[in-house]
Amino acid sequence: MATYTTEIASDKLVSDNPIHQRLLKAYIAAKPMVSGKLLEVGCGEGRGVEELLDQVDSYLGIDKIQAVIDELKQKYPAVAFEQAVIPPFAGIESNSFDTVVSFQVIEHIQDDKLFLEEIYRVLKPGGKAIISTPNIRHTLSRNPWHIREYTGKELINLCEEVFDKVNAMGIGGNDKVWSYHEENRKSVNKIMRFDVLDLQHRLPSALLRLPYEILNRLNRKRLHKQQGNVVMDIKHTDYLLVDHSDQGLDLFYVLEKKR
């Protein structure tokens, strides 16, 4: 597909590879945890279909971008996809899914508690949800596409208001991953030193999205040029599921609804 924004990250652009592999890791980690009827909230360009479809009895993917849904329907004609602006999850029955996955979505949602309540509502008793979101402790600059980001404890507290059990983990990495992240941090800091008025935090997010996209793309290309094979060689196996959420670049939580 061709939605090559830095926010989504592409498996076709080499400079996006470390981010693509990081996003892919959430699906790999979720594989042994999904079963039955699966709902993916924010299915994006189809990573979940490719990785999880063989693990479940049925799959429904929802996303707000109609063009993405249209392309997924053509690519996977036997799989169900629907366009939806959420929350709420209009038209989805309560107690109807065994598993819900939603990766890198909650940070975009204004009413994050309602979002979690809707996931809880559509889960069958005994079902589980698996979510991921960036760990703000490792965020390098303000992302104007995000409503908010969380510390591990903040997200635990929010999830515990809704779900019966919260298992808080993280997506971390090996030395190769953390070395890339450190070089990325240094590169971003070189760009941000020109923001002497701290406009990234003072301007409305809508005004920041275009410059963020341009600078983020330039930064990824610069890192690829500087590090070459390091960028290309990072695989999803270099990202690790860790027990403590704050040790991860992303928070990765398994949320359960009691029977």
Side-chain angles (χ1 to χ4, degrees), residues 79-133:
V79 181
F81 299 97
E82 295 179 7
Q83 189 275 338
V85 177
I86 50 90
F89 299 172
I92 298 182
E93 295 182 2
S94 300
N95 306 311
S96 56
F97 287 92
D98 300 286
T99 318
V100 176
V101 298
S102 187
F103 298 142
Q104 309 295 316
V105 174
I106 191 172
E107 66 272 14
H108 297 273
I109 304 299
Q110 186 68 51
D111 193 339
D112 51 355
K113 186 175 181 183
L114 177 59
F115 175 75
L116 292 174
E117 288 173 342
E118 282 291 272
I119 291 176
Y120 188 93
R121 178 184 67 81
V122 303
L123 276 174
K124 295 178 182 179
K128 66 177 63 172
I130 310 164
I131 66 172
S132 74
T133 189

Side-chain angles (χ1 to χ4, degrees), residues 242-259:
V242 295
D243 291 334
H244 196 289
S245 57
D246 278 336
Q247 295 175 353
L249 290 163
D250 293 322
L251 310 176
F252 182 92
Y253 288 11
V254 180
L255 315 172
E256 298 185 25
K257 178 177 180 177
K258 286 185 178 178
R259 295 186 181 278

Side-chain angles (χ1 to χ4, degrees), residues 71 73 161 223 242 258:
E71 289 195 46
K73 285 181 176 179
E161 292 181 26
L223 288 169
V242 295
K258 286 185 178 178

Side-chain angles (χ1 to χ4, degrees), residues 18 37 56 69 90 120 214:
K37 293 181 64 179
V56 298
I69 293 298
Y120 188 93
I214 293 170

